[in-house]
């Protein structure tokens, strides 16, 4: 909708549209929050994989040192 | 379901049950060895110093030196539980609590190197590395800040030592009793301590107490490492349930679940390191990881408390005192720094800043690690040697 079209709306209609927009916004926010929480639950379901990742501390450090040396060159 | 597949399921269940029982028996044995080894260190240290422990540790009368010992020892063996258990043993052997307090504080800083190293694994993915490095270094900033606040207060007024001493006095009974109601520890650990004491004497009569201390340290390290590995396997399901339960429930639930998981796996490094990949993916935000990490600081104090139950007799009160100092210090740091809004934000801001800088120039990340865990102690040694 353009600014001119908004101007043509009655105040009552405008208030109704704002109310709808607010409801939609809060529903969208809720949906977004739920997705974030679902993602977090799903990530925790893979905790064993993360535990394995954590085991490779020394390998990680060597990889990092290689990258540091590359950056230096 | 056919009878054959039913039989297969039953035999798999039976194998799993036997496996699980074996693992729990192994954990119980390792805990027994851990407790015994703390007693060994206490006995060895007492014998080696002949009651002059404070003279032997004269160089650590400077609290900064104690702090450095704690940082370096923990950073090198990457286990604060091992270091704090050894400290409990040393206190039982005569090391004054006053000297041990900065060492405990240093162990807190030293332990944060583990999750920082874990975060380096994300180095090849820029965004992921920034998030992972921030989630690891928030722990560094918090622990350094806690020392900066509490160490000067402790040097001036000794509040941790006094409070720890008060509660230890309430909990510990008289002669030949360790912790009230737990007086079975001494007779239970005596055979192991005697065995290693005799073996040490056979190896060298002159250095028997030093050898006993070395045996004690080696067994503590081995026991804690193996306990951690076994508990990680056994407790992963429970840890998942706790974390699922904490999602969306705010920081207090985060602190609580961090503490409980650390108690379950007996390692703060495991708990804080686990958070690094979770943060790296971007699914968990730094704000959510932070309280969880603080919970790990509280949960890890259980090991020193467990180690303190090994000590009986006159020194039991001091062993328990230093273990309680660890608990009181870590809990107070969380209450103060996380409780005060302006202080709470400092570790987050620091971690985000260092992560941003380190992502752009990886050399700075390396300098940061070397600086915090080795450079800072070296500078402190230099400064303290000047005065």
């Amino acid at each position: 909708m353009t600014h001119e079209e908004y101007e043509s709306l009655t105040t009552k209609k405008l208030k109704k549209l704002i109310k709808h927009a607010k409801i939609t916004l809060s529903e969208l926010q809720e949906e977004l929050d739920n997705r974030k929480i679902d993602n977090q639950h799903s990530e925790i379901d893979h905790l064993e994989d993360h535990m394995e990742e954590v085991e490779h501390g020394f390998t990680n450090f060597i990889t990092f040192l290689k990258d540091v040396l590359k950056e230096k060159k | 379901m056919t009878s054959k597949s039913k039989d297969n399921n039953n035999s798999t269940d039976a194998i799993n049950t036997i496996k699980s029982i074996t693992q729990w028996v192994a954990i119980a044995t390792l805990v027994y060895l851990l407790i015994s080894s703390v007693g060994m260190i206490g006995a060895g240290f007492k014998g080696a110093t002949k009651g002059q422990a404070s003279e032997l540790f004269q160089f650590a009368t400077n609290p900064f030196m104690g702090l450095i010992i704690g940082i370096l020892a923990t950073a090198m063996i990457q286990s604060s539980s091992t270091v704090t258990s050894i400290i409990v043993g040393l206190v039982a052997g005569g090391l004054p609590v006053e000297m041990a307090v900065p060492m405990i504080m240093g162990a807190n800083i030293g332990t944060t190197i583990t999750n920082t190293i874990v975060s380096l694994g994300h180095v090849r993915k820029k965004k992921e590395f920034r998030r992972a490095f921030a989630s690891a270094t928030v722990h560094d900033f918090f622990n350094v800040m806690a020392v900066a606040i509490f160490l000067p207060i402790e040097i001036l007024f000794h509040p941790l030592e006094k409070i720890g001493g008060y509660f230890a006095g309430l909990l510990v009974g008289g002669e030949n009793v360790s912790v009230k109601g737990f007086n079975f520890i001494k007779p239970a650990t005596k055979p192991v301590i005697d065995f290693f004491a005799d073996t040490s004497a056979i190896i060298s009569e002159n250095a028997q107490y030093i050898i006993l201390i070395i045996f004690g340290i080696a067994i503590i390290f081995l026991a804690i490492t193996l306990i951690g590995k076994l508990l990680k396997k056994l407790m992963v399901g429970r840890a998942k349930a706790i974390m699922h339960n904490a999602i969306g429930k705010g920081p207090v639930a985060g602190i609580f679940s961090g503490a409980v998981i650390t108690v379950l796996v007996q390692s703060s490094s495991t708990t804080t390191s686990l958070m690094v990949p979770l943060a790296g993916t971007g699914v968990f935000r730094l704000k959510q990881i932070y309280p969880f990490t603080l919970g790990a600081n509280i949960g890890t104090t259980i090991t020193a408390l467990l180690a303190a139950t090994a000590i009986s007799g006159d020194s039991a009160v001091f062993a328990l005192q230093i273990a309680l100092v660890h608990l009181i210090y870590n809990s107070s740091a969380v209450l103060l720094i996380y409780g005060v809004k302006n202080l709470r934000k400092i570790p987050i801001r620091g971690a985000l800043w260092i992560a941003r800088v380190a992502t752009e120039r990886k050399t700075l990340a390396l300098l940061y690690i070397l600086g915090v865990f080795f450079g800072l102690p070296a500078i402190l040694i230099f400064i303290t040697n000047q005065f």
Side-chain angles (χ1 to χ4, degrees):
Chain A
M1 258 186 183
T2 61
H3 188 69
E4 285 80 30
E5 283 171 319
Y6 286 140
E7 279 181 340
S8 65
L9 292 171
T10 63
T11 307
K12 197 180 170 188
K13 180 78 181 162
L14 202 57
K15 279 183 180 170
K16 203 178 166 187
L17 277 174
I18 291 170
K19 196 180 163 190
H20 276 292
K22 276 184 180 168
I23 291 169
T24 310
L25 189 66
S26 104
E27 282 171 354
L28 288 171
Q29 190 59 54
E30 204 183 317
E31 176 59 24
L32 187 67
D33 291 343
N34 285 340
R35 283 186 194 187
K36 277 183 190 167
I37 287 175
D38 286 346
N39 280 342
Q40 290 177 349
H41 282 297
S42 135
E43 208 59 53
I44 287 170
D45 283 332
H46 297 105
L47 206 63
E48 290 94 338
D49 303 331
H50 294 311
M51 276 188 172
E52 269 182 39
E53 267 179 61
V54 167
E55 298 284 321
H56 309 301
F58 187 68
T59 323
N60 290 345
F61 193 62
I62 299 296
T63 313
F64 170 74
L65 282 182
K66 280 180 188 166
D67 272 39
V68 170
L69 289 174
K70 218 186 272 174
E71 189 184 77
K72 276 266 159 204
K73 283 174 190 171
Chain B
M1 201 184 274
T2 64
S3 67
K4 202 176 175 184
S5 64
K6 238 182 198 174
D7 284 349
N8 276 344
N9 281 348
N10 284 343
S11 62
T12 315
D13 285 350
I15 290 167
N16 284 340
T17 311
I18 292 167
K19 212 172 155 185
S20 171
I21 291 170
T22 314
Q23 284 171 327
W24 279 113
V25 170
I27 288 170
T29 312
L30 289 164
V31 169
Y32 170 68
L33 280 176
L34 167 71
I35 293 174
S36 304
S37 57
V38 174
M40 281 157 61
I41 291 177
F45 195 59
K46 208 177 257 177
T49 59
K50 295 184 175 64
Q52 306 297 315
S54 49
E55 280 175 26
L56 185 76
F57 269 82
Q58 198 61 39
F59 67 96
T61 44
N62 181 332
F64 292 108
M65 197 57 90
L67 183 76
I68 292 158
I69 294 170
I71 296 175
L72 290 178
T74 315
M76 280 191 281
I77 59 173
Q78 290 194 34
S79 168
S80 64
S81 304
T82 303
V83 173
T84 51
S85 300
I86 292 170
I87 294 170
V88 168
L90 293 177
V91 167
L95 177 72
V97 173
E98 191 185 345
M99 286 189 200
V101 175
M103 293 182 193
I104 289 277
M105 291 181 172
N108 259 17
I109 296 179
T111 196
T112 63
I113 196 172
T114 311
N115 65 345
T116 308
I117 290 176
V118 168
S119 74
L120 301 179
H122 299 262
V123 73
R124 301 239 157 117
K125 292 167 187 163
K126 213 171 176 181
K127 269 189 180 171
E128 213 174 291
F129 177 63
R130 199 181 67 218
R131 291 190 291 249
F133 200 67
S135 78
T137 50
V138 76
H139 197 201
D140 307 355
F141 277 97
F142 179 87
N143 283 341
V144 170
M145 203 173 144
V147 169
I149 296 171
F150 283 87
L151 185 59
I153 297 172
E154 186 61 23
I155 292 169
L156 292 172
F157 310 108
H158 311 290
L160 294 169
E161 193 188 329
K162 283 176 188 164
I163 300 168
Y166 173 74
F167 284 108
L170 287 181
L171 288 164
V172 174
E175 189 77 15
N176 296 325
V177 178
S178 55
V179 178
K180 271 179 186 168
F182 293 99
N183 54 354
F184 57 87
I185 298 285
K186 191 178 181 179
T189 56
K190 201 173 179 293
V192 175
I193 298 174
D194 286 350
F195 170 76
F196 280 100
D198 293 344
T199 311
S200 307
I202 292 167
I203 296 170
S204 165
E205 220 161 280
N206 292 332
Q208 57 172 308
Y209 295 114
I210 303 290
I211 297 169
L212 187 60
I213 294 171
I214 294 168
F215 270 136
I217 290 173
I219 294 171
I220 285 182
F221 184 69
L222 203 73
I224 287 180
T225 309
L226 293 174
I227 288 170
K229 278 188 195 291
L230 285 169
L231 283 177
K232 246 195 265 181
K233 279 184 200 160
L234 285 164
M235 289 299 175
V236 66
R238 195 70 55 87
K240 271 185 186 179
I242 292 166
M243 287 172 82
H244 278 305
N245 200 38
I247 287 176
K249 291 201 178 135
V252 177
I255 294 173
F256 182 74
S257 56
V260 174
I261 291 175
T262 306
V263 170
L264 292 180
V265 298
Q266 285 284 305
S267 164
S268 63
S269 308
T270 302
T271 312
T272 55
S273 299
L274 261 181
M275 292 296 104
V276 172
L278 292 178
T281 56
V283 171
F284 283 86
R285 295 177 61 208
L286 183 59
K287 236 174 137 182
Q288 293 170 295
I289 300 288
Y290 182 30
F292 201 83
T293 302
L294 305 187
N297 264 10
I298 297 173
T300 195
T301 60
I302 192 82
T303 316
L305 285 168
L306 186 68
T309 62
I311 311 299
S312 54
D314 292 342
S315 47
V317 70
F318 303 115
L320 187 62
Q321 184 182 2
I322 192 64
L324 286 170
V325 163
H326 194 202
L327 172 67
I328 297 161
Y329 167 60
N330 280 359
S331 309
S332 313
V334 171
L335 275 176
L336 178 75
I337 301 174
Y338 199 78
V340 179
K341 205 178 169 185
N342 289 334
L343 292 178
R344 185 193 309 159
K345 289 175 186 169
I346 297 172
I348 291 188
R349 284 183 185 151
L352 288 173
W353 170 76
I354 194 73
R356 201 175 54 242
V357 172
T359 309
E360 292 312 315
R361 288 187 65 191
K362 285 165 195 108
T363 317
L364 291 176
L366 182 66
L367 285 177
Y368 166 80
I369 295 168
L370 294 175
V372 170
F373 300 104
F374 303 101
L376 184 72
I379 292 167
L380 283 174
I381 288 174
F382 178 75
I383 293 171
T384 50
N385 275 343
Q386 302 303 308
F387 302 101

